[in-house]
Amino acid sequence: MATQNMGPRGLRSAAAVGIGVVAGVLATLLVQRQGLEALRTRLEHLEQNAQAEQTAHAEQTAHTRQAANLATQQRQHWELLSKAIDDPELAEVLDLYEPPVSHKQRRQYLFANALYTNLLLYYRIGNLSRDEFFKHVRGMLQNPIVREYWYATQQHRASIADTDEAELGLLVDDLLRQLEDADTEEWWVVGEPPGEPSGG
């Protein structure tokens, strides 16, 4: 058997092949690394999307739960007011007006309260915009009994400062002043509807 002589030429060829193999391996590793980086980026993007969807679903669930709780509260409020409207003795429990009012006025005020509270609930659960709330209240304030009720409960509203209900109460106070100061019979154009509150 003859031995192969690897001279300088053979060594160069072997080195060239070795360099080619190493270059090929490096190129393959680079491509794989780029592919892995792209895959990692894609997975991070998918995780962020999944987390955002989960957060949105949780917020929607919380909003739905809040709306259901408000509706339950509204139903209980109406049941209590109905009992007070129907029973003069129970209505006396709710008579916190200064000066005291007659039985007839008390029943009317309780009903005005139910109307306003219903409107407030519709706004809170998103069935009315702030602008629509304003327009409905402007219509309600055309009734003198509703106006009397609003004035008679002014002290009650003063105790609920720093809430969305208090903010809307101030809006109604301002609208009532504008209606009373207006020198027009076209009440439906009095007052500037408010914009939606910032952040809410």
Side-chain angles (χ1 to χ4, degrees), residues 30-101:
L30 183 60
V31 168
Q32 286 178 346
R33 182 179 173 118
Q34 289 172 342
L36 288 173
E37 186 63 28
L39 182 59
R40 184 188 64 76
T41 302
R42 177 74 178 136
L43 286 173
E44 285 177 358
H45 181 69
L46 289 172
E47 287 173 353
Q48 289 171 351
N49 284 348
Q51 189 174 19
E53 286 178 13
Q54 216 172 22
T55 301
H57 177 70
E59 288 173 357
Q60 179 63 35
T61 301
H63 178 72
T64 302
R65 192 175 318 114
Q66 180 186 22
N69 289 343
L70 284 170
T72 300
Q73 179 187 3
Q74 175 69 11
R75 189 177 318 106
Q76 290 172 344
H77 181 257
W78 174 247
E79 288 172 5
L80 290 171
L81 286 180
S82 293
K83 288 179 181 181
I85 289 169
D86 293 341
D87 186 335
E89 291 177 4
L90 294 178
E92 287 179 18
V93 174
L94 297 176
D95 191 350
L96 305 173
Y97 308 109
E98 288 293 332
V101 296

Side-chain angles (χ1 to χ4, degrees), residues 98-150:
E98 288 293 332
V101 296
S102 70
H103 169 68
K104 177 182 175 181
Q105 284 176 305
R106 189 179 315 123
R107 289 184 74 204
Q108 291 171 332
Y109 288 4
L110 291 173
F111 190 73
N113 175 267
L115 291 175
Y116 179 73
T117 304
N118 187 57
L119 200 57
L120 188 61
L121 171 73
Y122 267 48
Y123 171 75
R124 284 180 164 166
I125 65 174
N127 285 356
L128 287 177
S129 69
R130 200 172 175 92
D131 180 62
E132 291 168 324
F133 173 87
F134 180 85
K135 290 175 181 175
H136 281 284
V137 168
R138 184 168 50 194
M140 284 176 56
L141 290 174
Q142 297 314 299
N143 185 294
I145 296 169
V146 172
R147 287 183 187 206
E148 287 174 21
Y149 156 77
W150 195 256

Side-chain angles (χ1 to χ4, degrees), residues 4-23:
Q4 242 181 344
N5 183 4
M6 286 204 63
R9 192 173 183 202
L11 285 175
R12 277 190 291 242
S13 294
V17 169
I19 290 173
V21 169
V22 169

